[in-house]
Amino acid sequence: MRRLALLLAVLAALVVLPASPASAHTVGGVGATNFHTTLSALSPAAPGVRLAVIENGSRLELRNTSSSEVTVRGYADEPYLRVGPDGVYENRQSPAAYLNQSRYAQVSVPVGVSPKNPPDWKKVSDEPVYRWHDHRIHWMLTTMPPAVADAPTREHRVTAWSITLVQDGRPLTATGTLDWRPGPQPWAWFAVIGLAVLAVGALGLLRRPYPALTAATVVMIVADVVHAAGIALVTPGSTLERIGAFIGGDLLQITCWFVLVLALLALRKGYVVGAWLAAGGAAMIALTSGMSDAPVFWRSSAPFAWSAALNRGTLAVTIALGFGLLLALPFVVHRQKRTSTGTGDAADDAGNVPGAAPVSPDSPADPVPGHADVSDSPATPAGSASLGADADPASGAVEPGAGSPAEESPGVGGADAPPTPGHPVPRRRFVEYAGAAGLGGVAGAALGYASAPEAPAEKAAPAPRTGEEKVAFHGPHQAGILSPARRQAQGWIGAFDLVDGAGKPAAQQLLRRWTDAARALTAGRRAAVDNLIGAGLGPAALTVTVGFGPTFFDKLGLPRPEALAPLPAFPGERLDPARGDGDLGVVIAAEDPLVVQEAVRALTRLAAGLATTRWGMSGFGAARGSGADDGATQRNMMGFLDGTGNPVPAEQVFVTDGPAWLNGGSYLVFRRIRMLLDAWDATPVDRQSQVIGRRKDSGAPATGGTERTPADFGAQEPGGGLVIRPDAHVRLATPAFNNGAAMVRRGFNYADAPDDSGLLFLAWQADPRRGFVPVQRRLADSDALNAFIRHETSAVFAMPAGVDATGYLGQGLLDA
C-alpha cells in the first residue's frame, strides 16, 4: 500500500511538471541547424594560443597557455578581452562585453559605455580560457539570408568572417566561414519510426507481455540516456561541469527516467501498474525531448558528441519506444480485464480460476451485496490465485500476471463494483488510479509541448511577388541601410539644401512631410502623394532613407556629431562641388524604376519652399529573377562581384555611442566612381584578376576556393612573390589590414553615357573616421585599381535612428 501510494504521488507530480513548455536540447542556445561555422586558420600561428568554434557555432573559445597575454579586439576594433597567464580580463567600456552575453545580442549596452573611452578592465576568470558569443561568426537574424531563402535546398557560403587578436604587438588574424548546408530527407527515418511504433505496440498482444515490455523499457532508457549524454558532452568545461549539465539539463527527463526504473521493478513482478508507468514515462519523454529534438532528422548539424547517425538513431529509438509502449498499454489492460472477469485464459466459463476453490452457492454470503471481501471469506483458501494472474491448471501455482496473491484479493461477484463505506478500497483500484495519473502526466506533457513557442523556421516562407513586397518603414533602424538584405534593382541618391533663411521650424515641417510620404509610399498607399507615376504598381520593396550633412547642423546652429566631419581630400580624386555634399541626403531604392521616381517626385514636391534639390543620381542593379540566384552578390560595370567582403554581423555599422537621436542610425559615405571601361576592357582578364585580387568569373580569391572562401594573403607563387599582390584591391581594402574597419557596401551601377559609367558607391558605417577614411587613404596611396577609376562625387551624412508610427525622422534632434 505504501509503495503504491508513493507511485501515485510521483505520477501526480508528473501531471504538474510538463505544464511548462517543452524545449529542444540546445547548447549555448543552438540546437539542430543548417548553419555551419568553420574556423579556417589563425595566422600567423602562435604557440600556446588555441582558438576554437564550440557549441555548434554558438561561441568561440580562446585558450592561451603561452607566457604572454593575447588581446581580442571588439566590433569597433577596441580592446575587448585580455587572456593570459593571470587569467581573463574584460573591458567594461567595450560594447562587446555586453552584446556578447547573449546569442542574439539581446542585451542593452549601458549608457556611457563607448569603445572610445579608456579601457576599464575587470577580471572575470583565473583560468587562461574564455568563451563568448562572437556575433561575427554566426547568423544573427531570425529570417534567412536572401540566397538561402530563395534556394534553401542548395549549399551557400553565407559569409567569410575575421577576428583580430594581438599578442606582443603582433596581430593574429582568425578567419573562417559561415555556410548553409541543407539537411537530409527525413522520410526514411519517419517510416522506420512508424513501423517500430506498431511493432512495439504489438507486444501488448502477447499472452505474457511483461518480459518483452521490460526489454523495451530497458532499451528506451539506454537510448535516451545516450542521446542526452551526447548533448551534454559537447558542453564546454571540465568533466564535472559536463556531468552537471547532464544531470541538471532537464529535470522532467530525469524524473521520467526514475519513473521508467520504477516501471521495470513492477514489470519484473508482472504488475500491470508497470505497464502504466512505462507507457506514461516513455510517452512523456517522446512527446517532450523526443519530438522537440526531431529537427535533427532534417537538419545537417546538431550539438552532439558523436556521429549524426548515432544522434538520429538514438532519437528514433526513443520516439518509437515512447509511443510504442503507449500503444501497447490498452492491449495489456484489456487482457488484464478479461482475466479479472473470468473471460480470459486464466478462468473457466463459470468464472473459476484454475487452481482456486470454485465459487458455489454454498459459499458464505458477501456481507455487502455485489461485493465480496475475499480476505475474510473461509471459502477462499490461502494461496489461491487472484484474478488477473495466469495460473497453471495442473499445479495450481500462480504465475505473474496482472496481479499476485500479495497484491490483489478480488471478490467473487462484481469485482469492479464501487467500494462501500466501511470496506477498504480494493488494491486493483489503486492500479486504476495510478494509471489515470499516468495518463494525466502524458496529457500534461502534450499540453506543454503544444504550448511551447515555435523556434524561428529555417525555411523562409515563399516571398511575395516583386511588386507586392513591402519593407517595414518603422523600426529601431531606418530601412534601406540593411533591409532588405537583398539589394533592390533600382536606386536614386540625392541631396537637398535648405532654402536661405530656413530655420529649425522649416526643417521640422520638411521632415514631417517626408516621413508621412515615405510611410504611405512604402506601404503602397499612393493617395497621399497623388502623382500617379506608380499607378497600378505595388510598393516593390521601396525604402526611403534620410540623413543630415555637416552643413545642416551649421545652418541650424545644432551641435554636430564629432564623426560627421567633411571628408578629407584624397590623392587622385576629381570632385565636382556642384554634385557633392548637401544639407540633407536621401537614398531611395525599390525593385521598380517607376516606384523609385514616384518617391523622388513626391519628396521634391513636398520640399517646395523649404528646400531645393542640390543633385540627384540614378543607379541600377540586376533585376529580380534575371539570374539563377537573386541573393547572389551583384556585379559592377567592370564585371566583378561587388560587396563580397561586407562584415558579419552587419549590425556593427549602427551607431551605439553617439547622441540619442543618432544611436541606432548610421553614417553614409557616398562616392560617384567613374570606371574607365575602355582601358579596363582592353586589359587581359588575368591582369584584371591581379588588380582586384579575385577571379572574375566566380569572385573567388586569387588563392582559390569560392566567392566566400577567406583569402590566403600569405600564399606565394612557385617562383616567389605573393599570389594576391601587395597592390591588389582586396588586400588593401580587407578589414584585417585596416584595424577591422567595418563598412556595408550597397552600391548601384550607373551608365549616363558610353564613356561615363561606373558605380554609385554607398558605404554604411558606425564612424567614418574608423571606416571609410583610413581605408580610402590606403587605397588612394597604392591601389592598382586607381589606374582604372576616378572619384568624382563625395558626400557624408548622419542617418538618424528609425521612427515609430507617430514620430518623424530626426525628431530627437530637431525637437530637442
Side-chain angles (χ1 to χ4, degrees):
M1 293 283 288
R2 287 192 298 270
R3 289 195 296 270
L4 286 172
L6 175 62
L7 295 179
L8 190 60
V10 170
L11 286 171
L14 289 179
V15 174
V16 178
L17 281 175
S20 60
S23 60
H25 284 110
T26 63
V27 177
V30 175
T33 179
N34 287 338
F35 286 108
H36 292 253
T37 299
T38 304
L39 174 65
S40 304
L42 180 62
S43 179
V49 178
R50 180 181 178 274
L51 188 67
V53 175
I54 60 173
E55 298 177 353
N56 207 32
S58 176
R59 292 200 289 178
L60 283 176
E61 179 184 80
L62 175 62
R63 188 179 298 272
N64 179 18
T65 58
S66 69
S67 59
S68 57
E69 200 170 60
V70 171
T71 300
V72 180
R73 311 298 291 186
Y75 302 126
D77 198 42
E78 79 283 6
Y80 160 46
L81 292 172
R82 288 166 34 205
V83 182
D86 294 334
V88 180
Y89 293 83
E90 187 177 58
N91 176 15
R92 306 302 292 176
Q93 286 297 322
S94 169
Y98 307 92
L99 298 173
N100 292 354
Q101 296 173 13
S102 164
R103 167 64 175 79
Y104 290 99
Q106 297 169 328
V107 178
S108 298
V109 178
V111 176
V113 170
S114 172
K116 302 176 186 177
N117 294 340
D120 176 16
W121 295 107
K122 179 182 177 182
K123 191 170 188 178
V124 294
S125 174
D126 292 327
E127 299 296 323
V129 58
Y130 196 71
R131 308 173 188 98
W132 72 98
H133 294 285
D134 198 299
H135 306 310
R136 288 167 283 203
I137 72 170
H138 47 233
W139 186 248
M140 290 285 292
L141 304 180
T142 56
T143 55
M144 292 296 101
V148 173
D150 291 340
T153 59
R154 293 170 46 192
E155 290 192 5
H156 298 275
R157 173 63 46 82
V158 178
T159 188
W161 54 266
S162 66
I163 297 172
T164 302
L165 295 76
V166 179
Q167 184 182 40
D168 295 330
R170 180 183 63 164
L172 310 175
T173 302
T175 56
T177 58
L178 176 65
D179 297 280
W180 171 270
R181 299 174 190 167
Q185 293 296 324
W187 310 117
W189 286 106
F190 292 167
V192 170
I193 291 173
L195 292 174
V197 169
L198 297 176
V200 176
L203 297 178
L205 297 172
L206 298 176
R207 184 171 180 272
R208 296 177 180 173
Y210 295 96
L213 295 180
T214 300
T217 304
V218 170
V219 174
M220 171 80 181
I221 295 173
V222 171
D224 197 43
V225 168
V226 170
H227 181 69
I231 297 169
L233 286 176
V234 299
T235 300
S238 64
T239 301
L240 288 177
E241 289 173 324
R242 290 176 177 175
I243 293 175
F246 175 73
I247 295 175
D250 194 332
L251 178 61
L252 173 61
Q253 188 174 29
I254 294 174
T255 306
C256 289
W257 294 342
F258 174 70
V259 172
L260 290 180
V261 172
L262 294 179
L264 289 176
L265 298 177
L267 288 171
R268 288 187 62 233
K269 293 185 178 182
Y271 299 156
V272 72
V273 71
W276 285 98
L277 290 172
M284 276 187 279
I285 290 177
L287 279 168
T288 54
S289 63
M291 294 301 293
S292 57
D293 282 352
V296 304
F297 292 122
W298 59 83
R299 291 182 181 160
S300 57
S301 175
F304 197 71
W306 303 298
S307 68
L310 181 60
N311 187 13
R312 297 184 180 111
T314 53
L315 184 61
V317 170
T318 299
I319 296 174
L321 290 177
F323 291 122
L325 288 169
L326 186 63
L327 180 62
L329 179 62
F331 302 119
V332 176
V333 173
H334 179 67
R335 172 173 290 279
Q336 188 263 347
K337 286 185 176 180
R338 290 181 61 225
T339 302
S340 65
T341 57
T343 59
D345 296 337
D348 60 22
D349 293 337
N352 296 316
V353 179
V359 178
S360 70
D362 298 327
S363 299
D366 186 353
V368 179
H371 179 78
D373 187 352
V374 182
S375 60
D376 297 331
S377 174
T380 306
S384 65
S386 326
L387 293 180
D390 291 327
D392 186 342
S395 63
V398 179
E399 294 184 5
S404 70
E407 293 296 329
E408 297 187 8
S409 299
V412 293
D416 292 327
T420 58
H423 288 267
V425 179
R427 291 177 184 144
R428 183 160 53 80
R429 289 298 172 87
F430 276 97
V431 174
E432 293 175 354
Y433 297 157
L439 288 182
V442 174
L447 289 174
Y449 180 76
S451 63
E454 293 186 2
E458 288 207 343
K459 184 175 180 179
R465 290 187 303 168
T466 299
E468 299 172 352
E469 184 175 349
K470 297 178 183 179
V471 179
F473 179 73
H474 303 122
H477 316 297
Q478 286 197 67
I481 300 176
L482 297 184
S483 60
R486 176 194 47 75
R487 296 193 212 185
Q488 298 110 313
Q490 304 291 327
W492 182 88
I493 303 93
F496 291 77
D497 286 338
L498 295 172
V499 298
D500 292 340
K504 185 187 292 187
Q508 291 171 321
Q509 184 179 2
L510 175 62
L511 269 298
R512 286 194 181 96
R513 290 179 180 178
W514 279 1
T515 301
D516 290 342
R519 187 180 280 130
L521 288 170
T522 55
R525 301 192 305 269
R526 294 197 156 74
V529 296
D530 194 28
N531 57 26
L532 297 182
I533 294 177
L537 301 177
L542 174 68
T543 58
V544 179
T545 316
V546 178
F548 313 121
T551 55
F552 180 83
F553 296 86
D554 298 339
K555 289 182 178 180
L556 299 183
L558 297 172
R560 191 174 71 191
E562 293 181 5
L564 186 64
L567 296 177
F570 298 101
E573 63 185 9
R574 301 181 188 177
L575 303 183
D576 180 359
R579 295 204 297 176
D581 301 320
D583 296 342
L584 297 113
V586 178
V587 179
I588 299 173
E591 288 294 340
D592 189 278
L594 283 178
V595 172
V596 170
Q597 290 304 315
E598 177 182 47
V600 173
R601 292 301 310 150
L603 267 60
T604 302
R605 182 168 56 85
L606 292 170
L610 301 173
T612 58
T613 304
R614 179 179 177 88
W615 55 265
M617 304 175 191
S618 294
F620 59 88
R624 175 91 67 94
S626 60
D629 184 0
D630 284 333
T633 307
Q634 298 201 40
R635 293 186 182 272
N636 57 33
M637 297 295 288
M638 287 181 161
F640 277 77
L641 299 180
D642 196 288
T644 298
N646 280 335
V648 174
E651 282 80 358
Q652 60 188 289
V653 303
F654 292 119
V655 178
T656 59
D657 58 351
W661 63 269
L662 186 54
N663 285 337
S666 186
Y667 288 95
L668 169 65
V669 170
F670 171 73
R671 308 281 280 189
R672 182 180 188 271
I673 304 173
R674 179 182 293 209
M675 296 177 173
L676 310 180
L677 295 181
D678 289 344
W680 179 256
D681 292 342
T683 303
V685 173
D686 288 347
R687 173 55 186 159
Q688 292 180 1
S689 296
Q690 291 175 352
V691 170
I692 302 297
R694 291 185 175 274
R695 292 178 55 90
K696 190 170 187 177
D697 54 356
S698 65
T703 49
T706 64
E707 179 194 353
R708 303 296 180 183
T709 301
D712 182 357
F713 292 107
Q716 294 189 338
E717 301 279 6
L722 294 170
V723 175
I724 300 178
R725 301 191 174 189
D727 60 355
H729 181 75
V730 297
R731 177 184 290 275
L732 297 172
T734 188
F737 298 130
N738 289 281
N739 294 319
M743 293 182 289
V744 167
R745 292 167 290 157
R746 301 189 68 184
F748 293 92
N749 298 311
Y750 78 89
D752 293 344
D755 61 345
D756 187 6
S757 301
L759 181 69
L760 303 180
F761 175 83
L762 291 86
W764 302 94
Q765 58 221 278
D767 189 336
R769 298 169 301 176
R770 297 197 300 266
F772 176 81
V773 172
V775 173
Q776 183 56 30
R777 280 177 177 155
R778 187 179 177 89
L779 292 172
D781 286 341
S782 52
D783 188 2
L785 188 59
N786 290 337
F788 303 96
I789 62 173
R790 186 165 63 237
H791 290 243
E792 296 182 338
T793 293
S794 179
V796 60
F797 302 100
M799 317 298 277
V803 66
D804 60 22
T806 60
Y808 67 90
L809 292 170
Q811 185 172 0
L813 170 66
L814 294 175
D815 285 2

